[in-house]
Amino acid sequence: MSTMNAKASSGGEEEASGMRSETLGESGCLGEVKRGRAILAAYLIATLELTFLFMHMGVMPYLAKSLGLDSVGFGYLQTTFGVLQLVGGPIFGRFADQFGTQAALILSCASGSAFFLLMSVSTSIPLLFLSRLPAVFMQGLPGAQKVITDLTTPSQRADALGKLGLCFGIGIIIGSALGGVLSTKFGIFVPVYVGLVGNLINIMITMIWIPLQAKPKSDHRVMEHSNVFSIREILRVMKLPGVMEVFIVKVFAGLPVGLFLIMFSIISMDFFGLEAVESGYLMSYFGVLQMVVQGLVVGKLTNNCTERTLLRVSVFVFAGVGLGMALMRTVWHYCIIVVPLVFAFSMLGTITDSILTNTVPSSDTGTMLGICASVQPLTRTVGPTIGGFLYRQFGVSSFGYLQLIVSIGLFVYLLKSKIPLRKMKSQ
């Protein structure tokens, strides 16, 4: 029986791969070349967009301060950005499902250009808040995930999605450094101009190398009468078998650590006693670790272990991270703890995205990825309030104890739950 299942799965993989080559208008080797080129283009677009985003994050405090915005107002500005990204994720995903991956990425890059253009003419606080509006469709990372999801078979997907973490690490390191250098030597608006031009370049890359519709023709579902802004459709996807169980794990497994990372700029000053430069070095260390884990570790593990196993392992490692954080006293302790922390974060994100896109019909993968992309904006939105309360009332160790309790609860939940495992989609 297991041999027959293996043959059926192998046959399904080959058929899916062939259909994806056919989608690009070619068959055989040429189709595979175009498929590979489209995936590489998606990695490049994601890397550039993340680089520009971290450049923007580096100069925003100084730009806001130069316009007379205090720390409270800057908090509102950041919350506005998070809320817009939170709302835009599922809508962007629905747009990608209905109008194709190329159109969705063009929308994301055009929104990025508008974002930086408005930011470049922000000479007052109201204009600065107005410049946040295009962020609702600045969804380059889920757009790249959509390309990869549509052009890979289920067994290849976790490895391919994991490599996007490498793009994230590169974006952190280059974006943070480049933003500081450009703003110091040439002026605070120069990184903004670079982001504007860079997003226009991303539009050209998308038009040349990303196919109009990356998913196989047989996966298309008739949706002429379906509204992009339909909350009912988004809820329908969330109610599909197995989706809510995995999504709960995705949201809550890394939430306490996510709250800690949002408060890290304050914790690094108050608890660790670090200067701004030293905090920057620590962020670079975090970025390098993420590149190594995503580029070298995640892919090998996903090729040799089941997704269910890796999901349980990531939650178990999070429990260990929580215990370490509860006992943490110095920055050197944090440098050790951050290694399993990055591993657990990277593995959790990659595996849950892979399981969820394999669980829903191919016609809904964009919507699912958009919902997944809303998890981080949600954390950024509620993080300052909840994280600030925990830090002021209970100290740094509270993040660790909360992480330990949540992780143990989720690990028990996973042991008793039936999580979908590389389910082949036939829709």
Side-chain angles (χ1 to χ4, degrees), residues 82-144:
V83 169
L84 287 169
Q85 291 244 296
L86 172 65
V87 172
I91 298 173
F92 178 84
R94 295 268 303 139
F95 182 90
D97 282 333
Q98 293 195 42
F99 298 101
T101 311
Q102 188 190 78
L105 276 174
I106 290 174
L107 173 64
S108 173
C109 298
S111 298
S113 297
F115 176 86
F116 284 107
L117 178 62
L118 289 171
M119 192 173 165
S120 69
V121 297
S122 295
T123 55
S124 65
I125 292 175
L127 280 176
L128 190 60
F129 272 88
L130 183 64
S131 71
R132 307 295 93 182
L133 287 179
V136 70
F137 292 125
M138 284 174 59
Q139 306 284 346
L141 189 58

Side-chain angles (χ1 to χ4, degrees), residues 52-75:
F52 304 143
L53 183 63
F54 282 103
M55 283 173 52
H56 140 263
M57 290 172 65
V59 302
M60 267 306 298
Y62 303 99
L63 177 58
K65 186 178 180 180
S66 69
L67 296 176
L69 195 66
D70 59 16
S71 58
V72 176
F74 184 70

Side-chain angles (χ1 to χ4, degrees), residues 97 215 221 233 236-237 240 360-368:
D97 282 333
K215 68 177 63 176
R221 185 162 58 91
E233 282 294 305
R236 177 187 61 79
V237 173
L240 292 172
V360 302
S362 295
S363 55
D364 291 319
T365 52
T367 304
M368 191 69 255

Side-chain angles (χ1 to χ4, degrees), residues 27 147 332:
S27 59
V147 174
W332 298 110

Side-chain angles (χ1 to χ4, degrees), residues 11 43 63 96 108 137-138 163 228 242 263 266 367 399 406 414:
Y43 288 138
L63 177 58
S108 173
F137 292 125
M138 284 174 59
K163 288 183 172 61
V228 171
M263 298 298 299
I266 296 175
T367 304
F399 296 100
V406 170
L414 285 174

